[in-house]
Amino acid sequence: MRVQVEGWHAVGTWTWNAEDDACGICRLAFDGCCPDCRIPGDDCPIVWGECSHPFHMHCIVKWIGVQGNNVQRCPMCRREWQFKSS
Amino acid sequence: MQSSSGSNPSQVAARNCRRLQRELADLITGGIFHVEEGAAGSTRWVVKIRGAEGTFYHGEVFRLQFVFPPEYPIEAPEVVFLHPAPIHPHIYSNGHICLSILYDGGWSPALKVESVCLSILSMLSSAEAKRPPEDNDNYVRTCSSSPKKTRWVFHDNKA
């Protein structure tokens, strides 16, 4: 018997490789997005600090933005916040 | 008419509504603190705190008022005791609380209503004397209605 494939639809799944399930700032799942976004994925990425704590990028940027001239600190461990270079 | 925020409870921004929903659920399952007034969509909650056994405050029940700003949790909630406030070296008789985590420089968006309540309960429990702050009368006479406008100086973590 010969089968001829006329078309196919690929379905993929993805997940962020974070140690935690949810962002420590907005408490929403990393597999979802931050409260200001609608679609998870590259437009609402997660980022890590040198201290290894992950957050939605939009959440941590908001937090470091309000700390003014003070030292920018990780919300979880209060160590100085530095983005971890990947 | 006891609220220092003055206004009626209004709807919170959609961005913090879901977080407050989760916090409310966690408080209820946690079972340590009783939410007397509050809903995920409300900007004002009242949470009951019971003095721990073996401390000066055993048998007393206090009511803590949380008012959430639109930018919560990036911005700290305003937290005060409703009358009557506990008699404590770091708690003023108008309900204002001298605790660094409640104000700029000490607040972190990783803190939650439950962790704030726990910190305050631990502050009550560690009191070494049941007395008001030394500058209570002067502070209460001159302070703003919101403790977030006070320039706090944090001396120690013992009472």
Side-chain angles (χ1 to χ4, degrees):
Chain A
M1 186 176 77
R2 283 176 66 93
V3 173
Q4 193 171 349
V5 178
E6 293 184 344
W8 59 286
H9 297 281
V11 176
T13 63
W14 64 273
T15 178
W16 292 108
N17 199 9
E19 303 270 299
D20 298 302
D21 294 336
C23 171
I25 296 178
C26 67
R27 309 272 162 191
L28 296 174
F30 282 129
D31 288 345
C33 51
C34 85
D36 292 331
C37 289
R38 300 182 72 92
I39 303 164
D42 285 342
D43 288 341
C44 188
I46 68 173
V47 291
W48 284 260
E50 283 292 349
C51 57
S52 83
H53 288 117
F55 300 96
H56 286 119
M57 184 185 76
H58 297 145
C59 294
I60 192 71
V61 163
K62 233 176 201 176
W63 169 241
I64 59 184
V66 298
Q67 296 190 76
N69 295 327
N70 299 327
V71 178
Q72 297 166 344
R73 297 195 180 278
C74 171
M76 305 303 278
C77 62
R78 294 188 191 270
R79 268 186 276 181
E80 192 174 339
W81 177 265
Q82 303 274 359
F83 285 98
K84 191 176 207 164
S85 42
S86 48
Chain B
M1 294 300 276
Q2 65 222 347
S3 161
S4 62
S5 66
S7 57
N8 294 325
S10 55
Q11 291 297 303
V12 295
R15 82 176 314 280
N16 64 29
C17 190
R18 275 179 290 177
R19 176 171 149 148
L20 284 175
Q21 234 162 24
R22 194 155 304 189
E23 289 204 44
L24 194 59
D26 286 352
L27 269 174
I28 291 165
T29 48
I32 311 173
F33 305 106
H34 175 72
V35 183
E36 190 176 85
E37 290 173 48
S42 165
T43 53
R44 177 178 174 271
W45 292 11
V46 177
V47 181
K48 269 193 194 166
I49 287 199
R50 292 177 180 280
E53 224 172 286
T55 71
F56 289 121
Y57 306 93
H58 180 215
E60 293 183 73
V61 180
F62 305 103
R63 293 158 73 229
L64 262 184
Q65 172 182 274
F66 286 77
V67 174
F68 303 101
E71 283 305 311
Y72 178 80
I74 298 295
E75 199 190 311
E78 181 197 286
V79 185
V80 295
F81 274 106
L82 296 178
H83 188 74
I87 297 166
H88 182 282
H90 292 164
I91 301 170
Y92 291 89
S93 55
N94 64 351
H96 289 196
I97 305 161
C98 182
L99 179 64
S100 62
I101 60 161
L102 299 179
Y103 308 108
D104 285 352
W107 171 252
S108 153
L111 290 167
K112 306 183 287 181
V113 172
E114 189 174 35
S115 45
V116 167
C117 289
L118 277 173
S119 295
I120 291 173
L121 182 61
S122 133
M123 180 173 134
L124 288 177
S125 299
S126 62
E128 288 171 0
K130 194 173 181 178
R131 58 168 176 81
E134 278 167 23
D135 58 337
N136 185 71
D137 294 350
N138 186 45
Y139 175 79
V140 170
R141 208 169 44 237
T142 57
C143 69
S144 155
S145 67
S146 171
K148 290 172 80 176
K149 296 199 176 111
T150 298
R151 288 175 64 95
W152 295 100
V153 179
F154 306 106
H155 309 275
D156 59 56
N157 47 22
K158 278 199 283 180

